[in-house]
Amino acid sequence: MLAPNQDNHPVVGIIALVSGLFVFAIQDVIIKQFSAQYSVLQLVIVRGIVAVIAIGIIVAIKFGPSGFRVYQPLRIGAKGFLAFFSYLAYYLAIASLPLADVVTITFSAPIMVVLLSSLLVGEPVGLRRWLTTLSGFTGVLIAVGFEGHLVNIATAFAFLAALTYALNSIMARYISSRDNPWTVTFYFSVTHFAGGLLSYLMLSLFPISPQTGHPSFDFLFREWQWSSPVDVAIMASLGLVATAGFYCLNKAYLMARAATIAPFEYSYVIWAVLFGYLFWEEIPAAATVLGLLIMIGSNLFALRSEIIKIRTTD
């Protein structure tokens, strides 16, 4: 059985996670804005090229040739492909649903992190954590069920994003601390870009009408197009945003136990609701707000238990 990384620096992990989620909130606004005009794979590939170049330059300057040495390439590659599928599914979901609703559904990911960290990594999860996990999942069901989102395929994409994100987070705990976070981020970005390129090539071999009548599928199957230099520049800037975001998330789950920092995933709610209102006048439904409050409350209670546990063991 694979042995997980035992490093645990919760403060560093929490700061890195919150910072990364804020950065990705900005990226999500741009991608949702482009979802009615461009192909999601076009955005992923352009972003990936810039991100790989930017991170490669940083690694070369900071660490030289040795910075590209990686001790666990298969695990890092698997983590990168999981992240690719997670973000792709998430992007397809936000093309069809309000940003706050997609965030609510995908925030079942911390719940899955707790479950999977116990089953796959063997991290201890007490009775209180299991109870808060159950109440958090109840919040997800309330948010989804009352508004009839289950009839929208975008809901399935949001749940798929949550599952693959949770697996990606757990995979980070199997990466040795010998691998520098910048090195991990570089190969993570390479595999993320490769996932987008392979998906594009597969769709090119089996072309599908770009007009399906559903925003999520249109976003996936739409043909590539180049509009204005400003749009191209914005697409390229996504690579720099992704560089910062990927590094923060990788560092977060490399530096701390998944069950400890997972509740801070909910800091993204603030930005999702705020940006959704400012850019698209999206006001969360009552069921969405109720579900979010249940999830956030249950995880804050779990966080309190984690803090008490850390203090008693120090």
Side-chain angles (χ1 to χ4, degrees):
M1 182 176 178
L2 297 176
N5 172 12
Q6 297 297 326
D7 285 358
N8 188 30
H9 304 281
V11 175
V12 176
I14 290 168
I15 292 174
L17 181 65
V18 172
S19 300
L21 292 173
F22 173 74
V23 168
F24 275 118
I26 297 174
Q27 173 186 255
D28 293 346
V29 168
I30 298 172
I31 290 178
K32 183 172 176 65
Q33 192 69 31
F34 279 170
S35 65
Q37 183 178 359
Y38 295 101
S39 162
V40 63
L41 295 179
Q42 179 179 355
L43 299 178
V44 168
I45 291 174
V46 172
R47 183 191 69 173
I49 293 173
V50 176
V52 169
I53 293 174
I55 299 172
I57 292 173
I58 292 173
V59 172
I61 292 175
K62 288 178 65 68
F63 308 105
S66 63
F68 294 96
R69 180 184 303 165
V70 63
Y71 294 93
Q72 299 164 315
L74 293 180
R75 297 185 194 180
I76 294 174
K79 185 179 186 301
F81 278 111
L82 283 170
F84 164 72
F85 286 114
S86 177
Y87 286 111
L88 179 63
Y90 180 81
Y91 299 151
L92 295 177
I94 64 175
S96 179
L97 295 174
L99 187 58
D101 291 356
V102 177
V103 169
T104 302
I105 299 170
T106 54
F107 271 171
S108 58
I111 298 170
M112 297 180 187
V113 166
V114 173
L115 294 173
L116 295 174
S117 64
S118 175
L119 297 175
L120 301 180
V121 183
E123 290 186 353
V125 180
L127 178 59
R128 289 184 179 181
R129 193 64 175 115
W130 286 117
L131 291 176
T132 54
T133 297
L134 179 60
S135 63
F137 185 69
T138 302
V140 175
L141 294 180
I142 291 174
V144 175
F146 287 0
E147 293 299 313
H149 290 155
L150 288 175
V151 299
N152 193 333
I153 189 64
T155 300
F157 285 130
F159 275 114
L160 177 61
L163 175 61
T164 47
Y165 185 86
L167 289 171
N168 166 63
S169 300
I170 295 301
M171 180 60 69
R173 300 301 290 159
Y174 286 105
I175 297 176
S176 170
S177 57
R178 292 185 302 170
D179 284 316
N180 185 281
W182 275 113
T183 305
V184 172
T185 303
F186 173 76
Y187 289 105
F188 178 88
S189 299
V190 169
T191 53
H192 200 274
F193 164 71
L197 184 60
L198 289 173
S199 298
Y200 171 72
L201 293 176
M202 290 179 63
L203 290 181
S204 299
L205 294 175
F206 305 98
I208 299 175
S209 172
Q211 299 300 323
T212 65
H214 192 283
S216 296
F217 288 122
D218 289 344
F219 194 23
L220 177 61
F221 299 126
R222 187 176 292 121
E223 296 179 355
W224 281 37
Q225 57 178 307
W226 301 103
S227 179
S228 67
V230 174
D231 284 357
V232 175
I234 293 175
M235 289 182 198
S237 72
L238 290 175
L240 301 179
V241 173
T243 298
F246 285 153
Y247 173 77
C248 288
L249 295 189
N250 280 323
K251 186 176 182 63
Y253 282 98
L254 282 168
M255 296 300 293
R257 288 176 52 204
T260 301
I261 66 174
F264 285 89
E265 298 276 357
Y266 292 101
S267 65
Y268 184 84
V269 173
I270 299 172
W271 313 116
V273 173
L274 177 61
F275 293 158
Y277 176 76
L278 291 178
F279 290 95
W280 300 284
E281 298 183 351
E282 298 172 350
I283 300 176
T288 301
V289 174
L290 177 60
L292 276 172
L293 290 176
I294 292 174
M295 286 189 294
I296 293 173
S298 64
N299 279 277
L300 287 178
F301 179 79
L303 175 62
R304 177 177 175 274
S305 299
E306 290 287 342
I307 293 174
I308 293 174
K309 184 187 299 183
I310 291 173
R311 289 176 176 175
T312 55
T313 55
D314 286 344

